[in-house]
Amino acid sequence: LCVKKTNMTKHILLLFSLLLVAFFAQSKQNSTSKIKETAPETIFLRKVESAVRTHDADLLLSYMLPDYKRTQHDEFLAGNTIQFLNEFFCSTIPFNEITEVSLIEYSLINKSKTDYQVIFYLKSSSEESMCTFWMKKDSATNVFSIYSAVG
């Protein structure tokens, strides 16, 4: 009887352990798959991702918040597009050397209804990096734009 009880206890512990593993695996999957592919934010950010992947600087510039592009690209950097994009993507990997890019996550900033924090994973032949920038939704037109730090 004692042997059976020990075997029964082992089986219960094993079952409980398997359930815990399954629970944590599901929790991890849910936390990494928050991106809803049909959401307008995701659709826009997939376009940004594609422009980065193909090194389409002109298309990428068209996704920039107009005031941000004017002050940072046109005025501060005198239209130096490559320097602007290098700095936009955290300067760790030159824009033209990005070989992989993927959207990691985006989320509304605090209580904002229009401003999001965005995180992209970037990779070159020699380096990997996470890059954070922001996205704004124009509340009148529902058009999205991206922007980054100023200065």
Side-chain angles (χ1 to χ4, degrees):
L1 186 65
C2 188
V3 172
K4 287 183 182 178
K5 215 175 199 183
T6 303
N7 283 338
M8 180 73 103
T9 304
K10 285 181 183 177
H11 284 87
I12 290 172
L13 285 174
L14 179 62
L15 180 62
F16 182 71
S17 298
L18 290 173
L19 287 173
L20 276 176
V21 168
F23 172 77
F24 286 119
Q26 183 64 35
S27 295
K28 182 172 172 60
Q29 181 181 2
N30 287 343
S31 69
T32 57
S33 61
K34 297 191 262 193
I35 297 174
K36 184 177 178 187
E37 291 299 324
T38 57
E41 296 88 347
T42 305
I43 293 168
F44 171 74
L45 290 169
R46 294 293 185 213
K47 291 177 183 178
V48 172
E49 191 179 63
S50 177
V52 173
R53 185 176 296 111
T54 59
H55 303 119
D56 191 335
D58 291 334
L59 183 58
L60 199 52
L61 288 176
S62 75
Y63 295 145
M64 298 287 171
L65 189 65
D67 285 343
Y68 172 75
K69 180 186 171 288
R70 181 183 49 75
T71 59
Q72 296 302 299
H73 174 267
D74 301 346
E75 295 171 5
F76 185 69
L77 293 175
N80 186 334
T81 300
I82 294 302
Q83 182 181 353
F84 174 72
L85 293 175
N86 287 345
E87 291 177 12
F88 184 87
F89 290 107
C90 313
S91 295
T92 58
I93 300 174
F95 175 70
N96 287 332
E97 293 179 19
I98 296 171
T99 58
E100 286 183 42
V101 57
S102 58
L103 171 62
I104 300 299
E105 70 177 4
Y106 64 88
S107 57
L108 281 167
I109 299 171
N110 295 327
K111 296 179 182 180
S112 175
K113 294 181 181 178
T114 59
D115 290 287
Y116 300 78
Q117 179 179 9
V118 179
I119 301 175
F120 268 25
Y121 164 80
L122 303 173
K123 184 177 180 183
S124 71
S125 61
S126 61
E127 197 170 341
E128 296 179 44
S129 176
M130 296 292 212
C131 180
T132 301
F133 56 91
W134 294 272
M135 174 174 68
K136 182 177 225 30
K137 179 179 180 180
D138 184 300
S139 54
T141 63
N142 290 330
V143 171
F144 292 99
S145 300
I146 56 174
Y147 63 101
S148 190
V150 176

